[in-house]
Amino acid sequence: MASRREEALVTVRLDDAVLAKMAQDVDDIATITQDAQQATEFERKMTIGQAIRMYPKATIFSVILSMSLIMEGYDTALLGGFFAYPSFQKKFGTQVGSDPNSYQLSAEWQSGLQNGVQVGEIIGLWIAGSLAERYGYKKTLLGALVAMIGIIFIMFFAQNISMLMVGEILCGLPWGAYQTLTTTYAAEIAPPALRPYLTTFVNMCWVIGQTISGGVQRGLLKREDEWGWRIPYAVQWVWPVPIIIGVLLAPESPWWLVRQDRIEDAKKVLQGLVSAANTDYDVDRNIAMMIHTNAHEKSVSAGTSYKDCFMGVDRRRTEIACIVWIIQITCGIWFGGNVIYFLEQAGFDPEQAFNFGLGQHAIALFGTVLAWWIMEYVGRRPLYIWGNFVMCILLIIVGFLGIPEPSPAIANATGALMFLFTFTYDVTVGPVCYCLVAEIPSTRLRIKTVALARNCYNIASIVANFLNNPILNPTAWNMRGKGGFVWVGLAFLSFVWSYYRLPEPKGLSAGELDVLFENGVSARKFKTVKADEFRSTSLKAVAEGADQ
């Protein structure tokens, strides 16, 4: 059996037929290959500090576009919080028992409202994936942001729960665009050293939205009139206009421009993104790297349709991206993260529950920042795998705490464990997922693969809503903490899949990932097998006058 040292010496390369086809499709493939190799090495040696100094504009524009996810995080948390919100319950719920001040939305309507959002997002993702590949990131995002301004009116002026349902479905359409394009734009606008930070910042924007939502609801909790729930919806009008301005000023993705054969436009974008003080940077070499990777992927899989995501080597990449996002659900966050409503059913009064919720959001923010530092040292795979394992253990403990009759001590202990669960999620599976789904797909199919993966997440969310709401709702199953036993089975399966199927993309270029997938390298060996994207088994492209 080969030792780890011997495994590290194994090298996989391009297929001879692939390199031969690239030579036919690309003019002067030898020079392009040489320049691409130099650009790849330049990026590989780049530190995070150098990347920030070299690409300050890329960092700023990626952050601005990612802030559109604040709106989705805000509204999804808003909706979950409203289920425990007195003025909202009174407007849209029904009286429970003989207490004239006790109202609840039925589990069916809770699931219906949340699933309405998911249905809208599924449709929005399909549309955004196709529009972005045809018209680019900027135009697609602008259309989504403008639409969002109008849709907010429906929720703000909702007269009944059916009208609110329509508003939530329509809101899902632009949110679908945000989910796809913010992550892929972050991956394409910045060098590898910045990608884990900018892609996981998308998760932070989600958490920021949830935190703002919790603060707004907590501040208006004592309002008993309709403004208690209308004002939180109105706050959503704050975001679109400044983000629209940012999108108008932002450059188009240079990778998208190369895929459209707009090479000169891509060069102008890179020249505008890179700080003028960096004299070592060579725009032509970076463009050559993009051309080389694009030609390589075209030679293996020419298409860029949704169908192509399930063809050949891309099938495995699509599987990984999809399940990585599904695990954000199956790890148990739908149960462990629904702390406000959970604690109310466990005996907390609304103010206490919302205070706990705010603390949970603050911990989630800290966890995402901590993940940036940990990922730099341990990579994506270990963090993701062991995060799943820890959450399994926590779900089991919460399940056992749900067996005795509710008491203040048990409620406090459960709340503390839910804090720990959320912290674990936001250090591991939560942010790392965004990094993985952006890095694993091929560059040509990145937008479509991310759209598919997020739609798998949305479909899993629909199932989770139907499962989780009855678990917690006092008018349904009312399982309280025992729901942890229901979720731990799914969480354990997530852990097992991650161990056997999730590769480590840290430190690998897009071309190296292409070669590793094309050669069918095991997920557990991505760190010990060297990939050479610039030569095949028998052939090597050599520029005229270069050393042989």
Side-chain angles (χ1 to χ4, degrees), residues 89-239:
Q89 289 173 325
K90 189 172 183 179
K91 172 68 177 178
F92 298 107
T94 55
Q95 187 174 328
V96 178
S98 58
D99 185 351
N101 296 314
S102 179
Y103 289 83
Q104 284 278 348
L105 264 73
S106 67
E108 291 79 10
W109 268 115
Q110 287 180 353
S111 299
L113 287 171
Q114 290 177 321
N115 290 338
V117 175
Q118 308 302 333
V119 168
E121 289 179 356
I122 288 169
I123 298 169
L125 279 158
W126 285 115
I127 295 171
S130 298
L131 291 180
E133 195 56 53
R134 182 171 182 179
Y135 299 108
Y137 288 85
K138 291 186 62 173
K139 291 179 180 178
T140 308
L141 271 173
L142 283 171
L145 287 162
V146 171
M148 189 74 207
I149 294 173
I151 294 169
I152 294 170
F153 280 96
I154 298 174
M155 295 187 295
F156 180 77
F157 289 107
Q159 298 300 308
N160 52 57
I161 199 163
S162 299
M163 187 174 175
L164 192 64
M165 177 83 160
V166 171
E168 294 289 352
I169 293 172
L170 292 177
C171 269
L173 298 175
W175 286 338
Y178 306 155
Q179 291 172 343
T180 310
L181 303 184
T182 53
T183 306
T184 54
Y185 184 83
E188 295 191 357
I189 202 73
L194 283 177
R195 282 175 198 158
Y197 300 94
L198 294 181
T199 52
T200 55
F201 178 75
V202 173
N203 181 73
M204 179 174 281
C205 287
W206 232 77
V207 177
I208 291 170
Q210 292 176 324
T211 306
I212 295 171
S213 170
V216 170
Q217 287 184 313
R218 177 64 182 85
L220 295 168
L221 190 59
K222 293 185 177 180
R223 289 201 70 134
E224 298 180 0
D225 58 3
E226 292 192 353
W227 288 103
W229 62 267
R230 289 190 195 275
I231 290 174
Y233 277 127
V235 170
Q236 291 181 97
W237 277 311
V238 170
W239 309 112

Side-chain angles (χ1 to χ4, degrees), residues 54-57 251-252 254 257 263-278 281-284 286-287 290:
M54 188 176 292
Y55 286 89
K57 293 179 183 177
E252 188 53 84
L257 291 169
I263 305 302
E264 291 304 314
D265 289 337
K267 286 182 181 180
K268 290 177 183 176
V269 166
L270 285 179
Q271 287 167 343
L273 284 173
V274 177
S275 172
N278 290 280
Y281 181 83
D282 192 309
V283 170
D284 291 326
N286 260 54
I287 291 294
M290 296 177 187

Side-chain angles (χ1 to χ4, degrees), residues 166-447:
V166 171
E168 294 289 352
I169 293 172
L170 292 177
C171 269
L173 298 175
W175 286 338
Y178 306 155
Q179 291 172 343
T180 310
L181 303 184
T182 53
T183 306
T184 54
Y185 184 83
E188 295 191 357
I189 202 73
L194 283 177
R195 282 175 198 158
Y197 300 94
L198 294 181
T199 52
T200 55
F201 178 75
V202 173
N203 181 73
M204 179 174 281
C205 287
W206 232 77
V207 177
I208 291 170
Q210 292 176 324
T211 306
I212 295 171
S213 170
V216 170
Q217 287 184 313
R218 177 64 182 85
L220 295 168
L221 190 59
K222 293 185 177 180
R223 289 201 70 134
E224 298 180 0
D225 58 3
E226 292 192 353
W227 288 103
W229 62 267
R230 289 190 195 275
I231 290 174
Y233 277 127
V235 170
Q236 291 181 97
W237 277 311
V238 170
W239 309 112
V241 173
I243 297 173
I244 285 172
I245 294 170
V247 173
L248 289 171
L249 296 174
E252 188 53 84
S253 160
W255 283 92
W256 181 82
L257 291 169
V258 168
R259 291 196 293 271
Q260 305 301 313
D261 292 323
R262 293 168 56 182
I263 305 302
E264 291 304 314
D265 289 337
K267 286 182 181 180
K268 290 177 183 176
V269 166
L270 285 179
Q271 287 167 343
L273 284 173
V274 177
S275 172
N278 290 280
T279 55
D280 293 336
Y281 181 83
D282 192 309
V283 170
D284 291 326
R285 287 177 181 169
N286 260 54
I287 291 294
M289 177 179 64
M290 296 177 187
I291 293 171
H292 187 277
T293 301
N294 188 57
H296 174 188
E297 293 176 359
K298 281 179 71 176
S299 298
V300 175
S301 176
T304 57
S305 68
Y306 282 112
K307 179 183 176 182
D308 292 300
C309 294
F310 299 97
M311 305 295 287
V313 296
D314 288 304
R315 187 187 302 114
R316 180 185 174 194
R317 302 175 87 158
T318 301
E319 173 218 326
I320 293 168
C322 289
I323 296 185
V324 158
W325 228 328
I326 288 173
I327 288 174
Q328 277 203 332
I329 305 293
T330 57
C331 70
I333 193 62
W334 242 236
F335 175 76
N338 199 0
V339 67
I340 297 174
Y341 188 72
F342 181 95
L343 291 177
E344 268 205 17
Q345 306 317 311
F348 278 55
D349 66 49
E351 286 192 23
Q352 283 181 305
F354 274 92
N355 288 339
F356 257 90
L358 282 173
Q360 184 191 40
H361 296 320
I363 284 177
L365 277 173
F366 174 70
T368 304
V369 173
L370 187 60
W372 291 346
W373 179 76
I374 298 175
M375 263 198 299
E376 181 68 22
Y377 291 95
V378 305
R380 288 60 150 155
R381 176 181 155 88
L383 201 54
Y384 197 87
I385 290 173
W386 295 110
N388 270 297
F389 181 76
V390 171
M391 285 187 282
C392 283
I393 301 300
L394 292 172
L395 285 170
I396 292 171
I397 298 171
V398 169
F400 278 112
L401 286 175
I403 294 174
E405 286 299 310
S407 70
I410 289 176
N412 282 313
T414 303
L417 285 169
M418 285 191 155
F419 269 121
L420 185 56
F421 187 96
T422 301
F423 176 74
T424 303
Y425 174 86
D426 280 292
V427 172
T428 59
V429 171
V432 177
C433 167
Y434 286 92
C435 188
L436 288 168
V437 297
E439 291 180 324
I440 291 297
S442 66
T443 61
R444 289 178 58 77
L445 288 172
R446 182 178 279 144
I447 294 175

Side-chain angles (χ1 to χ4, degrees), residues 444-493:
R444 289 178 58 77
L445 288 172
R446 182 178 279 144
I447 294 175
K448 297 285 176 60
T449 304
V450 172
L452 280 169
R454 187 66 186 189
N455 263 341
C456 286
Y457 169 93
N458 287 330
I459 292 168
S461 297
I462 292 173
V463 176
N465 289 334
F466 280 118
L467 174 65
N468 200 57
N469 288 326
I471 286 174
L472 297 180
N473 196 296
T475 65
W477 302 345
N478 194 28
M479 293 179 69
R480 301 190 310 275
K482 293 190 292 292
F485 293 134
V486 177
W487 282 100
V488 73
L490 295 172
F492 182 72
L493 290 175

